[in-house]
Amino acid sequence: DHYVVDGGKARIVLTPLVTPAEVMENLPMLDLLWRTCFRWKLWPRQVTGDTTYGTTENIVAIEDAGIHAYVPLPDFDRRTSVFGKGEFVYDANHDAYQCPGGELLPFRKHKHPERVRVYQAPAATCNACPLKPQCTASAKGRQVKRSFDEAYLDRVRGYHPSEAYQKAMRKRQVWVEPLFAEAKLWHGLSRFRLRGLPKVNMEALLIAAG
């Protein structure tokens, strides 16, 4: 069950939607946003969601619409023991990344299916580097990938330290998340009574209205 909730203390559910379990959580986000804008004649200054919704596709579409995407970005750096991408500094003038050891990783190739540019250090440079055990196990040199839409991701990262972003995330935590618990505990949403998408969407709409 998905909810679009307004930013006020009344916590009004503007749009509910039930999707099959195999539909990823982030996929309906844009449809929900555009329907809410159309149905209620609203144009929000910002959209707030958790990390699940922080996909590149969602961010690009929201930012292109002139709306701030207040979403955390996945932090893959903490999932590995080697240097993460955040340890590498992008040099726009040379279109290259500088590694923690001070060496440059020049542009190597495009990966269009992934929509990324690949930057790779020379194998000889990496193999001679004393920091290699902390950086990569590859004998071909360390790679860093940069999204085609990295400028949008950098813009969203720039929101994170701001008070407006911090306030939006606090509001979401105390004004939005509890609505699902209330629906389950007080309105029977822990289990749908009906079957079939049209019927469970009707049920979700009635519960949201309540």
Side-chain angles (χ1 to χ4, degrees), residues 4-195:
V4 177
V5 184
D6 80 333
K9 292 183 179 180
R11 304 184 306 160
I12 298 171
V13 181
L14 299 172
T15 308
L17 175 68
V18 180
T19 58
E22 66 266 19
V23 175
M24 290 288 292
E25 269 190 78
N26 54 52
L27 289 180
M29 182 183 190
L30 296 177
D31 287 338
L32 286 166
L33 174 59
W34 308 143
R35 172 169 171 75
T36 301
C37 292
F38 173 79
R39 174 64 181 82
W40 299 109
K41 305 300 186 288
L42 297 172
W43 200 257
R45 292 185 299 272
Q46 78 222 24
V47 174
T48 310
D50 62 19
T51 310
T52 305
Y53 297 99
T55 65
T56 304
E57 293 79 10
N58 287 344
I59 288 171
V60 170
I62 292 169
E63 289 287 327
D64 278 347
I67 303 170
H68 293 327
Y70 283 0
V71 292
L73 297 176
D75 187 2
F76 299 111
D77 289 3
R78 297 184 180 180
R79 301 183 185 181
T80 177
S81 58
V82 300
F83 291 136
K85 181 182 173 182
E87 302 289 336
F88 294 75
V89 179
Y90 181 65
D91 184 343
N93 292 329
H94 295 92
D95 189 24
Y97 276 92
Q98 186 178 49
C99 75
E103 299 292 341
L104 286 181
L105 282 69
F107 170 71
R108 175 75 179 276
K109 61 183 177 181
H110 292 99
K111 283 192 175 181
H112 289 281
E114 299 178 36
R115 289 185 54 78
V116 296
R117 293 165 58 86
V118 178
Y119 298 79
Q120 186 169 358
T125 302
C126 269
N127 292 333
C129 179
L131 297 177
K132 185 184 176 184
Q134 300 169 254
C135 191
T136 180
S138 173
K140 298 180 180 180
R142 173 64 190 263
Q143 285 189 352
V144 172
K145 296 178 181 178
R146 182 177 178 84
S147 169
F148 289 178
D149 302 303
E150 195 72 27
Y152 289 90
L153 303 181
D154 286 341
R155 190 187 307 171
V156 171
R157 290 188 191 97
Y159 298 150
H160 292 177
S162 68
E163 176 56 30
Y165 173 87
Q166 298 294 335
K167 181 179 179 181
M169 298 306 292
R170 290 195 299 268
K171 285 172 65 176
R172 180 187 177 278
Q173 189 173 13
V174 299
W175 288 358
V176 179
E177 286 296 334
L179 285 173
F180 294 100
E182 292 172 16
K184 290 179 179 179
L185 292 174
W186 301 342
H187 301 287
L189 192 58
S190 58
R191 184 179 180 86
F192 283 115
R193 295 172 180 269
L194 306 177
R195 292 294 179 267

